[in-house]
Amino acid sequence: MADSSVSFLLDKLTSLLQEEVNLQRGVREDVQHIKYELERHKAIIRVADSLEDKDPELKAWVKRVRDVAHDMEDAIDEFNLRLVDQHGQGNNSSFHNFFSTLRARHTIASNIQGIKSRVDIISQGRPTLPGIGSGSSQRLSTRLDSQGDALLLEEADLVGIDKPKKQLSDLLFNDEAGRAVIPIYGMGGLGKTTLAKQVYDDPKVKKRFRIHAWVNLSQSFKLEELLKDLVQQLHNVIGKPAPEAVGQMKSDNLKELIKSLLQRSRYLIVLDDVWHVKVWDSIKLALPNNNRGSRVMLTTRKKDIALYSCAEMGKDFNLEFLPEEEAWYLFCKKTFQGNPCPPHLEEVCRNILKMCGGLPLAIVAIGGALATRGRANIEEWQMVCRSFGSEIEGNDKLEDMKKVLSLSFNELPYYLKSCLLYLSIFPEFHAIEHMRLIRLWIAEGFVNGEDGRTLEEVADSYLKELLDRNLLQVVAKTSDGRMKTCRMHDLIREIVNLKAKDQNLATIAKDQDIIWPDKVRRLSIINTLYNVQQNRTAFQLRSLLMFALSDSLEHFSLRALCSTGYKLLRVLDLQDAPLEVFPAEIVSLYLLKYLSLKNTKVKSIPGSIKKLQQLETLDLKHSCVTELPVEIVELQRLRHLLVYRYEIESYAYFHSRHGFKVAAPIGLMQSLQKLCFVEADHALMIELGKLTQLRRLGIRKLRQQDGAALCSSIEKMINLRSLSITAIEDDEIIDIHNISRPPQYLQQLYLGGRLDKFPHWISSLKNLVRVFLKWSRLKEDPLVHLQDLPNLRHLEFLQVYVGETLHFKANGFPSLKVLGLDDLDGLKSMTVEEGAMPGLKKLIIQRCNLFKQVPLGIEHLIKLKTIEFFDMPEELITALRPSGGEDYWRVQHVPAVYSSYWRDGGWDVYSLETLGDRESDSSRGTAMRNLEICTLWKV
């Protein structure tokens, strides 16, 4: 962590020395001296993190370096802030300006002299460590780009999970009519949650338990919030909006409500990570024993909780450590990427593995750390073995495993440690968005520039490394296989939180009382502002983030929250905050790099936002902003401009997505990498050609006459990865045919509007992974142009083709995983040749009123996991009934087949077994009810 502070400061010192800043005599030399001394210290700082736990003097020295780096950074930023502030006041008095500048120069001179003296003292006490500067230390900065791409993840290949998964499923499916409790217990890191999730997500389990919910707990849970979450989940499944009164209900009323929702159904409730017996005692009264075969699964580290919870009815499930051979297989898979262990390393590797004690989390964490080491030098591997042996001496297995995981943290390259510690700012169980994290890392200064790569690409490689090392877990993926959200395992989180707190990386203000540190530079506020408002610690904030606030922010004030300690903010993340008005104080945060007002109700952005000249990310997604001021183009450093929201009720409709208007020469913003979703006009289409750094572009309300100008601009966007174009109306032609040199790295393409013919250039884009075509109304078969794309994983059609048949030919669509067909009015039949779409996992067909025959050849799609029909003809559904349906044999290999109908503001969902019950099901007794929107067009 000290390394990132020093590196960030060195960049600032370099800029200060290069700029034509008129410093007082001697100050420039002092700055140069401080820079030189800190550069000398960088090598030792980079390896100190792995040694300081055993060396209190080294730890104290590193802390002094970190503190002086922070103070020097503050001095520079306060100096720059005074100059900017003075310039921004618009005071034309040269006399006033002269004395304001003189005061700023005098202040920084005084601060730097004091810091120089401290740096000299630190240098005199500089410790000597063996190997600094030698080749052995350089391995810390080596990244293996050849490791498997962890951002393109297939289903987890989990070692040893098949047997316990079957055993657990058998307990769920047995004939016991009463509500049975199945607690999974074992120490942290065994994979209890992973096992429970594998079972919970199994289509057969979802089919049996139509009412289901997953509840995350923690050591510091709040019962009322837990019960409210459960109420909301159950209403989503049942298909009714939760009563508004739920927000004010007390625990007893919430329990009664939950009980009434579950009373008549067979349900499955999962309680993940139960820490106290009182948790089960508090919740069990809300879970009725209704003699319908309901089940409750819970995970816990404690055997007494497991036995207590299933004492009345149920069976405990003890998840055991991996046997030796399964542990060895997992170790080799993670350490040597599935290859055999080199013979000369086998003895030392088996000794290392023995210290992991069969704990999967420890095995994959250590394997990830060892995977980066060279395999020629056995001495390095023996050093790791010896370091483990010196740590693991006691009889407390959990503490020993924490030490193993802590050692895997210490083995991280210096540039990853700050990035991983930063995750402590997010609440427990929070699913961290991939791109949000990358932009935050960059704004915080954790990402080092590399030739030929953007900062975002470097940060992406950092995230990939943490995933490869199994220090992060994927929570959700996009339909084309990329990671969408992630989080840390709870055991790793415990270690990271302790280290982050020890280094004062960030202060976490939850609703319970906290002990405030002497200095607060990063502040994460969770649930309420109350504790912060009561605090009297002096802030010098660089980052402020808020999560799940229950307070009203109607009169939100940074000054009221933290006095004057907010002026140097670089990061302000107010995502999801109950905010309706743009806080005026924001425009005085001249150093701000990252501003998010995502999911707020803010309606307008002032022209004075132009003052934020350092701003790199402006995230207004799902806010109420529909127009940006012309001054926005003065933000020359802005890299990500994200302004849009969408509304989908049942099915997608043409005007469901809203972008923003801007009447300004947007071509001036040449740092832009992401621009979504801007409303088109002719001048803007020409201006876009100047934005050659764009990676993602979204355009709304395109007119046919502007297509030629857009095509010319797109040809200049050689870095484009994602392109979305929607016409002004659904019958407006999108004229984008005249692209002779399309962006070859394009991965995602979304077109909404009429196409008079299929754009020929699409077929040449070999990197496309996702294609969505909507309202195209093509007369020619689009499959002909798309079937040979080698990497296409997700294809969606909505009113795209007026023909009567779709023919998927053998060997076509070799990588396709998801296929969606919606509202193809003329479509009567579909044929799938053997060998077509060999990897298809999900098929969605909806609103095709003439489509009355089961797709011929669908039986060839042996990888299919799910088929979903939405409002399809009765003849098709009848043919699929297990009892008497003439085409049931074609889909009997598919684990989950559903037919859904939009009724009364929600989906009635029937499984394959209940398809025939719909006519007589006036009470919806056999239907699942789901208010969640089909994901077809939510991109």
Side-chain angles (χ1 to χ4, degrees):
M1 192 60 223
D3 177 77
S4 62
S5 302
V6 171
S7 297
F8 198 68
L9 172 60
L10 289 173
D11 290 341
K12 281 182 175 291
L13 293 177
T14 300
S15 299
L16 185 67
L17 292 169
Q18 289 174 347
E19 291 170 1
E20 296 298 323
V21 179
N22 188 14
L23 298 170
Q24 287 189 350
R25 182 178 301 173
V27 173
R28 186 174 295 274
E29 289 75 15
D30 288 346
V31 171
Q32 185 67 61
H33 176 77
I34 293 169
K35 181 173 182 286
Y36 171 75
E37 289 297 315
L38 291 177
E39 283 174 336
R40 285 180 58 224
H41 298 331
K42 274 192 73 173
I44 192 170
I45 290 169
R46 287 185 173 180
V47 297
D49 278 337
S50 59
L51 303 172
E52 61 180 29
D53 287 342
K54 295 182 179 180
D55 189 339
E57 290 186 12
L58 175 62
K59 187 173 185 177
W61 183 84
V62 170
K63 182 180 184 300
R64 288 195 291 271
V65 174
R66 183 166 55 242
D67 289 346
V68 81
H70 287 160
D71 291 346
M72 183 67 186
E73 182 190 352
D74 290 347
I76 294 172
D77 284 345
E78 285 170 355
F79 173 66
N80 289 329
L81 191 64
R82 287 179 182 232
L83 295 182
V84 172
D85 208 16
Q86 168 226 323
H87 181 265
Q89 294 301 319
N91 194 318
N92 294 321
S93 167
S94 59
F95 183 76
H96 178 272
N97 288 350
F98 172 77
F99 277 100
S100 295
T101 304
L102 192 63
R103 280 198 302 271
R105 288 166 55 202
H106 177 75
T107 300
I108 193 173
S110 176
N111 288 337
I112 286 176
Q113 284 177 355
I115 290 169
K116 177 178 177 290
S117 300
R118 289 167 61 193
V119 167
D120 288 341
I121 294 171
I122 288 170
S123 296
Q124 291 169 14
R126 182 177 187 265
T128 301
L129 296 179
I132 296 300
S134 69
S136 63
S137 68
Q138 296 306 307
R139 65 176 174 78
L140 291 172
S141 62
T142 301
R143 291 210 303 275
L144 292 184
D145 290 328
S146 62
Q147 283 181 250
D149 189 353
L151 296 185
L152 287 173
L153 294 154
E154 291 294 341
E155 289 183 4
D157 184 13
L158 299 166
V159 174
I161 202 170
D162 291 339
K163 182 180 177 181
K165 180 180 177 183
K166 183 181 184 307
Q167 292 171 334
L168 199 55
S169 297
D170 289 344
L171 292 174
L172 292 182
F173 280 79
N174 66 23
D175 295 331
E176 180 62 61
R179 182 208 66 194
V181 181
I182 305 166
I184 308 168
Y185 73 94
M187 72 170 280
L190 274 173
K192 300 182 296 295
T193 298
T194 301
L195 173 60
K197 197 76 168 71
Q198 286 278 312
V199 173
Y200 179 80
D201 286 338
D202 190 312
K204 293 177 183 177
V205 172
K206 290 282 179 71
K207 189 183 298 184
R208 180 172 177 83
F209 299 96
R210 297 193 179 96
I211 304 300
H212 49 264
W214 180 287
V215 182
N216 290 315
L217 292 95
S218 66
Q219 293 191 59
S220 56
F221 81 101
K222 294 180 68 174
L223 179 61
E224 283 188 10
E225 295 304 315
L226 182 153
L227 294 173
K228 288 175 185 176
D229 175 52
L230 182 53
V231 167
Q232 187 60 59
Q233 288 193 56
L234 293 175
H235 275 90
N236 285 342
V237 173
I238 293 168
K240 298 178 181 177
E244 291 185 10
V246 167
Q248 286 73 48
M249 281 186 182
K250 298 300 181 184
S251 296
D252 289 344
N253 301 113
L254 290 165
K255 289 176 187 177
E256 287 300 320
L257 177 56
I258 292 168
K259 192 171 183 177
S260 66
L261 292 170
L262 297 177
Q263 189 67 55
R264 297 185 179 181
S265 302
R266 180 194 294 146
Y267 62 83
L268 171 63
I269 305 296
V270 181
L271 305 174
D272 185 33
D273 203 18
V274 179
W275 280 86
H276 304 287
V277 167
K278 66 179 182 181
V279 175
W280 173 242
D281 282 337
S282 299
I283 296 174
K284 68 179 181 181
L285 296 177
L287 307 177
N289 186 356
N290 54 10
N291 291 314
R292 293 176 180 263
S294 297
R295 300 288 182 265
V296 179
M297 278 199 299
L298 61 85
T299 68
T300 180
R301 296 185 191 180
K302 299 185 176 184
K303 183 176 180 179
D304 61 329
I305 294 175
L307 297 179
Y308 178 81
S309 64
C310 66
E312 295 178 18
M313 185 179 297
K315 181 175 175 54
D316 61 287
F317 190 92
N318 181 16
L319 190 57
E320 298 178 345
F321 296 93
L322 286 179
E324 183 177 350
E325 283 311 305
E326 288 184 357
W328 177 248
Y329 173 79
L330 178 59
F331 180 85
C332 292
K333 179 183 175 186
K334 293 301 179 183
T335 306
F336 305 111
Q337 291 78 54
N339 296 314
C341 173
H344 68 287
L345 293 177
E346 182 162 347
E347 182 180 357
V348 67
C349 284
R350 286 198 179 269
N351 286 333
I352 292 172
L353 176 63
K354 192 179 296 182
M355 296 173 192
C356 295
L359 188 73
L361 181 63
I363 294 169
V364 297
I366 294 305
L370 292 173
T372 64
R373 290 179 176 268
R375 298 174 191 177
N377 186 359
I378 191 173
E379 176 61 26
E380 282 196 18
W381 296 68
Q382 289 172 339
M383 285 174 58
V384 173
C385 189
R386 286 195 295 270
S387 69
F388 284 4
S390 66
E391 288 286 346
I392 301 172
E393 299 168 346
N395 296 317
D396 189 329
K397 197 172 185 72
L398 178 59
E399 286 306 310
D400 283 349
M401 290 307 104
K402 284 184 179 180
K403 290 174 183 176
V404 170
L405 294 172
S406 186
L407 286 167
S408 72
F409 174 85
N410 291 338
E411 281 290 308
L412 282 176
Y414 69 90
Y415 52 84
L416 288 183
K417 289 180 179 175
S418 301
C419 293
L420 185 60
L421 292 180
Y422 190 72
L423 271 68
S424 64
I425 68 172
F426 293 95
E428 191 175 9
F429 297 118
H430 186 84
I432 305 166
E433 299 163 65
H434 171 206
M435 283 309 303
R436 180 187 193 184
L437 183 58
I438 280 177
R439 292 173 193 138
L440 284 168
W441 279 349
I442 291 171
E444 296 283 5
F446 297 157
V447 182
N448 302 315
E450 295 182 8
D451 290 340
R453 306 174 81 186
T454 65
L455 289 173
E456 286 77 7
E457 289 167 342
V458 176
D460 212 42
S461 72
Y462 288 4
L463 187 54
K464 169 185 175 294
E465 270 197 90
L466 291 172
L467 287 160
D468 284 340
R469 291 170 176 270
N470 299 285
L471 295 171
L472 292 182
Q473 298 175 318
V474 175
V475 176
K477 295 180 286 186
T478 63
S479 60
D480 53 2
R482 293 172 297 120
M483 190 193 76
K484 189 174 182 180
T485 56
C486 66
R487 65 168 167 242
M488 291 183 285
H489 187 279
D490 56 352
L491 209 56
I492 292 174
R493 182 180 177 83
E494 287 179 29
I495 295 164
V496 166
N497 284 355
L498 284 172
K499 289 183 178 291
K501 185 176 181 180
D502 188 47
Q503 297 186 16
N504 195 20
L505 173 84
T507 302
I508 314 300
K510 294 184 182 178
D511 43 0
Q512 65 260 41
D513 293 335
I514 64 168
I515 299 173
W516 291 88
D518 294 335
K519 293 182 179 179
V520 178
R521 293 178 69 82
R522 294 185 181 90
L523 179 60
S524 175
I525 303 175
I526 301 173
N527 297 334
T528 178
L529 299 175
Y530 177 77
N531 264 354
V532 182
Q533 292 165 337
Q534 301 303 307
N535 167 58
R536 293 294 175 262
T537 300
F539 289 159
Q540 190 67 300
L541 286 184
R542 295 316 185 102
S543 305
L544 176 61
L545 301 94
M546 299 184 184
F547 299 94
L549 285 192
S550 55
D551 310 282
S552 170
L553 295 187
E554 185 177 351
H555 303 292
F556 176 67
S557 167
L558 288 169
R559 178 178 291 277
L561 187 67
C562 44
S563 186
T564 60
Y566 64 91
K567 292 287 189 177
L568 302 182
L569 273 173
R570 284 196 300 257
V571 170
L572 181 58
D573 193 331
L574 301 178
Q575 178 172 328
D576 299 313
L579 194 66
E580 296 189 8
V581 179
F582 184 91
E585 297 154 303
I586 289 178
V587 298
S588 66
L589 304 177
Y590 301 122
L591 305 179
L592 201 64
K593 289 174 173 277
Y594 179 102
L595 174 60
S596 175
L597 299 171
K598 181 179 177 180
N599 285 339
T600 67
K601 295 181 180 180
V602 171
K603 299 178 180 62
S604 63
I605 304 297
S608 52
I609 198 171
K610 67 181 181 180
K611 295 179 181 179
L612 305 182
Q613 286 295 303
Q614 304 298 315
L615 198 63
E616 296 175 352
T617 293
L618 179 57
D619 190 347
L620 301 173
K621 287 184 289 188
H622 307 295
S623 69
C624 299
V625 175
T626 57
E627 186 169 2
L628 290 180
V630 295
E631 292 86 353
I632 196 75
V633 299
E634 296 185 39
L635 300 180
Q636 302 289 299
R637 296 173 187 253
L638 200 63
R639 302 160 74 90
H640 305 278
L641 181 54
L642 308 168
V643 192
Y644 62 87
R645 60 186 172 89
Y646 48 70
E647 302 166 354
I648 301 177
E649 293 176 1
S650 56
Y651 293 105
Y653 62 96
F654 190 79
H655 294 292
S656 61
R657 174 163 285 172
H658 306 273
F660 71 96
K661 293 185 285 189
V662 59
I666 207 164
L668 294 173
M669 305 175 74
Q670 295 193 12
S671 296
L672 275 181
Q673 293 188 25
K674 293 194 176 182
L675 175 61
C676 302
F677 279 80
V678 62
E679 294 186 5
D681 62 48
H682 187 74
L684 188 138
M685 295 302 97
I686 296 172
E687 285 284 313
L688 289 176
K690 301 174 184 178
L691 305 180
T692 57
Q693 296 301 310
L694 276 181
R695 264 64 177 172
R696 181 183 176 195
L697 173 63
I699 296 172
R700 300 279 305 155
K701 299 187 178 181
L702 182 71
R703 292 177 171 81
Q704 182 177 358
Q705 60 265 33
D706 296 330
L710 177 58
C711 288
S712 177
S713 291
I714 288 174
E715 288 188 333
K716 300 170 186 174
M717 299 176 189
I718 59 174
N719 296 302
L720 203 62
R721 275 25 176 213
S722 176
L723 176 63
S724 177
I725 303 171
T726 306
I728 192 167
E729 294 293 344
D730 62 1
D731 58 353
E732 182 85 5
I733 290 177
I734 303 177
D735 185 6
I736 52 167
H737 300 288
N738 297 321
I739 299 179
S740 56
R741 297 185 306 279
Q744 286 303 303
Y745 298 113
L746 199 68
Q747 296 175 353
Q748 298 164 10
L749 178 64
Y750 314 107
L751 300 178
R754 284 281 302 279
L755 293 171
D756 53 358
K757 58 182 179 179
F758 194 91
H760 64 89
W761 50 269
I762 295 177
S763 305
S764 69
L765 298 175
K766 303 305 181 185
N767 291 304
L768 277 176
V769 295
R770 187 189 284 184
V771 174
F772 286 14
L773 302 178
K774 303 181 285 186
W775 298 286
S776 309
R777 299 187 180 90
L778 287 164
K779 295 180 180 178
E780 58 182 314
D781 185 353
L783 299 181
V784 175
H785 304 280
L786 298 169
Q787 63 185 358
D788 294 326
L789 292 175
N791 295 301
L792 187 62
R793 297 169 66 92
H794 188 170
L795 177 64
E796 298 276 8
F797 287 165
L798 188 157
Q799 291 188 27
V800 77
Y801 177 49
V802 298
E804 294 185 355
T805 185
L806 286 175
H807 195 128
F808 293 85
K809 295 183 178 179
N811 303 318
F813 300 99
S815 300
L816 199 65
K817 305 295 181 189
V818 181
L819 172 65
L821 307 174
D822 183 9
D823 203 12
L824 303 181
D825 284 343
L827 188 66
K828 294 182 178 179
S829 65
M830 170 178 159
T831 300
V832 181
E833 292 185 7
E834 189 169 3
M837 303 184 286
L840 194 70
K841 293 184 176 180
K842 187 171 187 178
L843 173 63
I844 309 162
I845 306 178
Q846 50 190 43
R847 296 189 300 174
C848 298
N849 297 325
L850 300 180
F851 195 91
K852 300 178 181 180
Q853 299 177 359
V854 176
L856 297 177
I858 195 172
E859 63 272 15
H860 301 316
L861 303 177
I862 59 175
K863 296 287 185 67
L864 260 185
K865 301 293 185 187
T866 307
I867 302 174
E868 296 181 0
F869 297 109
F870 292 83
D871 286 325
M872 292 294 288
E874 198 59 39
E875 294 89 336
L876 172 68
I877 305 306
T878 300
L880 292 173
R881 292 179 182 174
S883 55
E886 61 188 50
D887 286 314
Y888 169 66
W889 67 273
R890 296 185 186 275
V891 298
Q892 63 181 352
H893 66 289
V894 183
V897 181
Y898 297 110
S899 181
S900 302
Y901 303 87
W902 184 256
R903 302 287 184 270
D904 303 327
W907 293 105
D908 287 345
V909 185
Y910 294 85
S911 67
L912 193 62
E913 289 73 17
T914 58
L915 288 177
D917 298 339
R918 187 169 65 90
E919 298 90 340
S920 57
D921 191 25
S922 58
S923 65
R924 297 193 176 110
T926 61
M928 290 182 280
R929 186 74 171 150
N930 190 357
L931 280 180
E932 294 181 4
I933 304 305
C934 173
T935 58
L936 215 55
W937 303 111
K938 288 177 68 174
V939 294

